[in-house]
Amino acid sequence: MARALALHAFATTGRSQAALNQLPRKFSAEAGLIRHLARADQRNDYYGALQTISRNLRLMYVHAYQSLVWNTAASSRWKAHGNRVLPGDLVLVSEHPDPHTQTDNNISKVDQDGEPIVAAEPSDRAYTTDEIFTRARAVTESELASSGCKITIFDIVLPTPGYDILYPANDTANIYKEFMASEEGGGLDPYDMRRKWKDVSLSGSYRKLLAKPLGKVDWEIKAYGANGEDEQFVETDAEKLEKAKRGNRARNDKQVEEQMDTASEKEGVVADPAIGNGNTNEEGKSLTSTATTDSVDQEPRNDKIAVILKLQLGSSMYATMALRELMKQGGVKTWKAEYGGVR
């Protein structure tokens, strides 16, 4: 809220200091924009203002825009066609080469040893651009109708907007055009994504529309009660490392203790069980108390259920979408952030 009020104050009054005083210090990017645009000779220098933002954050912004467009296209495509593979859908060339492409090896004759002579072309190189960069192609109707077609919905890719990608050769391309041309999409043309400023000149990429986990999916149902609201069911990597360190220290302590016991036995020293035992008194009697039925607390009732999922996904794939759909079945409400700041 404080961020929004500070930006509104600067946009309506043009007073930078008042806006900066209201803006929380963690919003460094917004502060840089205000300071730059506040100068009289830089009021309209938006390019210079954007350059005050750190490069990593600028790249995060443009990549977030690409993800926004991709998510919109993926949702609309799934809503319209589901898991059907359509003519014009895109697949990766590395996974499904074009069956109609014929290679010409330029073999004209053989040498005296019977080996083929390959005529080199001026454009020949060790690697082609298609081998270096990820390429996609559109699936044809005849290809899908053939009996040997193995293309499934898990092979279909959608592009993030850029100048070095293909858009689907079907109605999915209209989703990109309509959304990016809208006010929410920034009024951009998906076929004109090259810019003089390299940081915002987007080449684009391809992402699978659907993906499967890399291996087995394990799941476990665990019951817990009201006292376990903050209970952690899965160990983090840091906790696993710390647990391993504690185990190593315990083993080392045990080895030292065993070595000391061995040395004591050799010297003829026998430990007195009545000394240093916190559970006995001077007469050697046990001080361990027995719990009465009145002091036994009842165990908390486990009236809630948690599901623990363990799976591995490929690069740039996240389980949040699948988990969201699963939790919808149980009536889980969407979490809403509580924004701090002035009221």
Side-chain angles (χ1 to χ4, degrees), residues 148-169:
C149 181
K150 298 181 180 180
I151 298 176
T152 68
I153 190 64
F154 294 100
D155 300 312
I156 303 304
V157 296
L158 289 177
T160 60
Y163 60 80
D164 195 28
I165 49 90
L166 291 177
Y167 291 98

Side-chain angles (χ1 to χ4, degrees), residues 78-316:
W78 181 262
K79 183 177 181 180
H81 304 293
N83 62 355
R84 292 189 297 127
V85 179
L86 307 174
D89 281 342
L90 300 179
V91 293
L92 297 179
V93 174
S94 59
E95 297 179 359
H96 297 278
D98 191 344
H100 304 292
T101 301
Q102 297 181 355
T103 58
D104 182 9
N105 294 325
N106 296 326
I107 299 177
S108 58
K109 56 183 179 179
V110 296
D111 59 15
Q112 63 272 17
D113 297 324
E115 297 292 333
I117 298 176
V118 179
E121 295 288 342
S123 60
D124 284 350
R125 62 183 69 182
Y127 296 98
T128 65
T129 55
D130 289 347
E131 292 172 328
I132 298 174
F133 301 101
T134 301
R135 298 300 183 191
R137 67 175 183 84
V139 179
T140 62
E141 187 173 0
S142 60
E143 184 179 2
L144 293 176
S146 64
S147 58
C149 181
K150 298 181 180 180
I151 298 176
T152 68
I153 190 64
F154 294 100
D155 300 312
I156 303 304
V157 296
L158 289 177
T160 60
Y163 60 80
D164 195 28
I165 49 90
L166 291 177
Y167 291 98
N170 50 34
D171 59 354
T172 305
N174 295 329
I175 301 173
Y176 287 86
K177 296 178 184 178
E178 294 172 3
F179 177 76
M180 294 179 64
S182 67
E183 182 179 359
E184 183 181 1
L188 300 180
D189 181 1
Y191 296 96
D192 182 22
M193 299 301 294
R194 194 183 292 274
R195 300 290 186 275
K196 292 182 179 179
W197 189 11
K198 185 178 179 180
D199 287 353
V200 298
S201 188
L202 308 177
S203 60
S205 61
Y206 297 99
R207 299 178 186 175
K208 290 289 183 69
L209 177 61
L210 292 179
K212 295 180 180 179
L214 304 176
K216 183 181 178 182
V217 177
D218 293 326
W219 58 275
E220 176 187 355
I221 297 178
K222 187 169 183 177
Y224 66 101
N227 295 335
E229 290 289 347
D230 298 329
E231 183 178 354
Q232 183 173 329
F233 298 138
V234 180
E235 286 184 321
T236 64
D237 291 341
E239 290 171 338
K240 291 178 180 179
L241 291 174
E242 182 60 29
K243 186 177 180 180
K245 290 179 181 179
R246 289 198 301 268
N248 292 334
R249 287 196 294 266
R251 284 191 294 270
N252 293 336
D253 293 342
K254 186 177 180 180
Q255 291 176 357
V256 172
E257 183 179 351
E258 290 176 350
Q259 292 173 0
M260 292 179 64
D261 292 342
T262 303
S264 298
E265 291 176 358
K266 290 181 178 180
E267 296 176 2
V269 178
V270 179
D272 187 349
I275 299 177
N277 189 343
N279 293 329
T280 60
N281 58 12
E282 295 178 356
E283 299 177 357
K285 295 181 180 180
S286 174
L287 296 178
T288 304
S289 61
T290 57
T292 63
T293 56
D294 295 336
S295 63
V296 176
D297 296 332
Q298 294 182 354
E299 294 184 0
R301 182 180 177 183
N302 293 333
D303 56 352
K304 297 184 179 181
I305 297 177
V307 180
I308 303 173
L309 294 175
K310 295 181 180 180
L311 68 159
Q312 182 181 3
L313 299 177
S315 176
S316 300

